[in-house]
Amino acid sequence: MAEIVLVRHGQTEWSANGKHTSYTDLDLTAEGERQARAAGAKLAGRSFAAVISSPRKRALRTAELAGLDVTEVTEDLAEWNYGEYEGITTKEIHRTRPGWSLWTDGSPGGESPDQVGARIDRVLARARTRLEQGDVAFVAHGHCLRAVGARWVGLPTSAGGLLKLDTATVSALGFEHGDDPVIDRWNAEC
C-alpha cells in the first residue's frame, strides 16, 4: 500500500534555538543543508506520485537538497501561524502566560488548533486521491507535520503535541487492514 512520507525541513537558526517560526522565511543553516541531503539519501530509490511542499524556502530548499521534485506548493502545509509569538520561544511565552500550549490555546493574532486542522484535512484529502498512483511526500514544518500525524489517525489537532518531530526527519503514514490509517514510522533520524 502507498504511504504519505513526511519530511520535516532541515535546521534553521531559529529552529536550532527553539524560536517559533511560521511566516518568517529563513534559510537552512549549513547543518540544515547536511540534514536535508541525509534525508534524501534515506529516500534514495523511492519514487513519488506527488511531492507537496510548504511555500517557505526552508521547506523548498530541503526538498531540493533531498532530491525531491515538488509537484505542488500549498499554504495548507505552511507552518502554524504563531502570530504575536513569532520569533520567540515557549520559555519566553511562559514568562507572561504560564501554562500556555500551542496545541490547545493557539496563538494570539495567529491560528487556532481548529484552523490548522482544517488546512491539514484539506491537504490530506488531496493526498489520499493521489495514493492510488503511489507514495506521496509532504515537505513541511514541525508543528504542521505533527498535526498531520494526529489528523491522519483521526485524532484532534491537539494530539500532535504528543508527537515529537526533529528537523530533517522522515516519517510515514500508511494503512493497516486495508484502509485503516496508521502511523508506520515516526521521527526517523537521517
Side-chain angles (χ1 to χ4, degrees), residues 22-85:
S22 55
Y23 51 81
T24 303
D25 217 4
L26 299 174
D27 290 318
L28 299 178
T29 62
E31 174 62 12
E33 290 191 355
R34 184 204 65 74
Q35 291 173 336
R37 286 185 193 93
K42 192 169 211 165
L43 298 170
R46 193 162 187 174
S47 62
F48 293 95
V51 176
I52 306 171
S53 179
S54 159
R56 304 299 179 260
K57 63 184 173 183
R58 58 195 181 270
L60 292 168
R61 180 70 173 145
T62 295
E64 176 187 356
L65 292 171
L68 299 172
D69 294 321
V70 174
T71 59
E72 179 186 343
V73 176
T74 179
E75 284 288 334
D76 284 344
L77 283 178
E79 181 58 294
W80 197 307
N81 183 336
Y82 301 121
E84 295 173 22
Y85 294 157

Side-chain angles (χ1 to χ4, degrees), residues 4 49 122-134 136:
I4 298 176
R122 284 193 304 265
V123 75
L124 281 171
R126 290 196 308 276
R128 276 183 178 267
T129 66
R130 295 179 180 147
L131 288 172
E132 295 172 7
Q133 290 96 34
V136 173

Side-chain angles (χ1 to χ4, degrees), residues 56-177:
R56 304 299 179 260
K57 63 184 173 183
R58 58 195 181 270
L60 292 168
R61 180 70 173 145
T62 295
E64 176 187 356
L65 292 171
L68 299 172
D69 294 321
V70 174
T71 59
E72 179 186 343
V73 176
T74 179
E75 284 288 334
D76 284 344
L77 283 178
E79 181 58 294
W80 197 307
N81 183 336
Y82 301 121
E84 295 173 22
Y85 294 157
E86 180 78 0
I88 59 177
T89 66
T90 299
K91 183 177 180 179
E92 291 169 318
I93 295 165
H94 283 166
R95 286 185 195 134
T96 58
R97 194 167 171 199
W100 171 81
S101 169
L102 176 69
W103 299 102
T104 55
D105 302 323
S107 297
E111 288 181 294
S112 71
D114 288 342
Q115 290 170 315
V116 172
R119 288 195 287 117
I120 297 309
D121 289 348
R122 284 193 304 265
V123 75
L124 281 171
R126 290 196 308 276
R128 276 183 178 267
T129 66
R130 295 179 180 147
L131 288 172
E132 295 172 7
Q133 290 96 34
D135 294 338
V136 173
F138 287 176
V139 185
H141 314 274
H143 287 127
C144 171
L145 291 175
R146 291 166 69 181
V148 167
R151 297 301 301 143
W152 178 254
V153 294
L155 297 173
T157 304
S158 61
L162 303 173
L163 302 171
K164 179 183 176 184
L165 193 62
D166 297 320
T167 53
T169 53
V170 176
S171 302
L173 309 175
F175 299 94
E176 183 176 59
H177 306 300

